[in-house]
Structure formats: C-alpha cells, structure tokens
Amino acid sequence: ETGVTQTPRHLVMGMTNKKSLKCEQHLGHNAMYWYKQSAKKPLELMFVYNFKEQTENNSVPSRFSPECPNSSHLFLHLHTLQPEDSALYLCASSQETLSSEQFFGPGTRLTVL
Amino acid sequence: DAKTTQPPSMDCAEGRAANLPCNHSTISGNEYVYWYRQIHSQGPQYIIHGLKNNETNEMASLIITEDRKSSTLILPHATLRDTAVYYCIVRVATAGTYKYIFGTGTRLKVLA
C-alpha cells in the first residue's frame, strides 16, 4: 500500500458512455498526476496538478477531463472515448520538495469497446 | 522525449547481484535520477534516487558516475520477486513542480 488509492480498478465502457476515474491520496501531498500506460509503451504523463491548480496538460485530447477539487482528490472524467484509449491509467502524488519521490496508485485498467 | 536510455532486457541468476545500467547524458546539474520498478502492470514502486553521490537503502544501491551522465542500479542479491520492469528516470522541473519522463525501461528476469 502506497497511500494512493484508485477506483475502480477495472472499467469497461462503450464509446458513448461517460465515466470517471477517482484517485485519493492519504499522504498530505500537494501535487497529483495522471499517467496513461498503453500496451508495450512507456508511461505517458497526462496532467499535473499542484495545490489544486493544473500546471501541465501534455496535449491530452479533450475527451479526457481532469478535476482536482482539493489536494487529496483527483478525478479523470471520460466521455466519447475511442478503443485506442484502452490502457492502464495511473495516479501518483508527491510532496514537491527538492528531492521527493512520487507515490503511485495501483491503476485503473480501462477497456473501451 | 525521455532523457534516459536503458537496455530493453536483462537476465540475472537468483542470489547474484543485478546491475542495471542507465545513460542520461543530457541531464542538467540540478536534476535528480530516480529508479522505479513495475511488477506486472501494478503501479510503479519507488526504489531509490540520487543527485551526484552514491546512495544505498534497504532495497538497492545507486552508483552515479562523476560526470553524472550515467548511473547503475544494483540489487545486491536478486530474488525471483525482483523480476520486473525497471525504469531510470530524470526528474525535470516544470511550472513550480516536477515531472517524470519515463522511458521504456529494462525488463529484468531473475532466473532460478
């Protein structure tokens, strides 16, 4: 257990569905991250939030919509996804000091039909 | 683009030391090197990090060359449970915080 939880762990959705991924960290960190990991590809950083403010959007399509209501919670709202969006979605958090590390959640395995 | 390059795969005999190399020739003076591992599509697990001095913890040792252009992660006595993908990452600063840029990692297989 890293102190970062993600729900659901598995999700199957159709291309017309709307769903949300949830991430919660119990570590008192101020920065949170969404990553996407497709099969046989490196982890891709999607979004960065620092003190609830989005500081980075790594050219992510608008069908992915993040929300950070407070420093402990991060959501990824999904709508009209494509089959190629099927991947493992990982959340991480960190306390942004000079030499801190990121703590990763277990991920949500998303399948888009 | 990733700032690190690693061999795609390595094998290691159980009980022996596993030495995983990483090149980061474009690293800047204040950028840290981090190592994570990922076991079978779980979330990446932090191992160790360093700036310029060698580091050791209960999991591993990190050797960084004097010019900081490469490093080696050492698992002193590899076990079957160390089979995983190992990522060497340079952490870069961005907009008041930091981010990781992952490469493809090294798939380490520990053999019985």
Side-chain angles (χ1 to χ4, degrees):
Chain A
E1 290 295 328
T2 63
V4 180
T5 59
Q6 291 187 244
T7 55
R9 294 293 308 277
H10 300 272
L11 178 63
V12 179
M13 61 186 288
M15 290 189 286
T16 59
N17 292 158
K18 291 185 180 181
K19 297 287 184 182
S20 296
L21 310 184
K22 179 182 177 182
C23 175
E24 184 173 2
Q25 56 99 356
H26 311 274
L27 302 167
H29 292 164
N30 52 269
M32 297 188 76
Y33 309 77
W34 278 118
Y35 291 85
K36 174 185 178 182
Q37 187 173 32
S38 303
K40 299 185 179 180
K41 291 178 68 176
L43 277 80
E44 302 171 61
L45 180 64
M46 300 174 73
F47 301 103
V48 180
Y49 278 82
N50 193 25
F51 291 103
K52 302 188 299 179
E53 298 298 318
Q54 187 181 119
T55 58
E56 181 138 347
N57 176 337
N58 209 21
S59 301
V60 180
S62 59
R63 58 186 183 269
F64 295 91
S65 176
E67 179 190 2
C68 189
N70 54 62
S71 291
S72 298
H73 294 86
L74 186 64
F75 295 90
L76 188 63
H77 304 300
L78 316 171
H79 62 97
T80 60
L81 294 192
Q82 305 297 313
E84 59 264 30
D85 296 322
S86 298
L88 181 68
Y89 289 85
L90 291 155
C91 173
S93 73
S94 67
Q95 187 64 30
E96 289 302 274
T97 60
L98 189 59
S99 66
S100 58
E101 67 266 29
Q102 290 183 19
F103 293 77
F104 284 81
T108 295
R109 173 70 61 188
L110 174 68
T111 302
V112 181
L113 301 177
Chain B
D1 291 337
K3 297 189 72 169
T4 61
T5 55
Q6 299 175 252
S9 64
M10 292 180 64
D11 290 342
C12 177
E14 188 178 20
R16 304 298 293 269
N19 297 286
L20 293 92
C22 178
N23 288 321
H24 31 79
S25 58
T26 62
I27 194 170
S28 298
N30 59 352
E31 292 176 340
Y32 280 74
V33 178
Y34 283 73
W35 283 82
Y36 280 74
R37 71 182 183 185
Q38 189 175 25
I39 297 173
H40 195 54
S41 293
Q42 297 175 17
Q45 176 192 19
Y46 167 78
I47 301 172
I48 199 167
H49 72 280
L51 182 63
K52 52 184 178 182
N53 297 323
N54 298 338
E55 302 288 341
T56 296
N57 62 22
E58 64 279 4
M59 289 184 69
S61 294
L62 175 60
I63 309 298
I64 303 174
T65 58
E66 193 169 340
D67 63 7
R68 304 214 320 124
K69 293 185 177 181
S70 65
S71 60
T72 301
L73 178 75
I74 302 172
L75 308 177
H77 305 287
T79 70
L80 297 178
R81 289 185 296 178
D82 292 323
T83 293
V85 178
Y86 286 76
Y87 295 100
C88 169
I89 304 159
V90 171
R91 189 185 72 162
V92 300
T94 175
T97 184
Y98 300 95
K99 66 179 181 180
Y100 295 158
I101 301 176
F102 280 81
T104 52
T106 295
R107 185 172 297 275
L108 175 69
K109 187 173 183 180
V110 180
L111 305 172

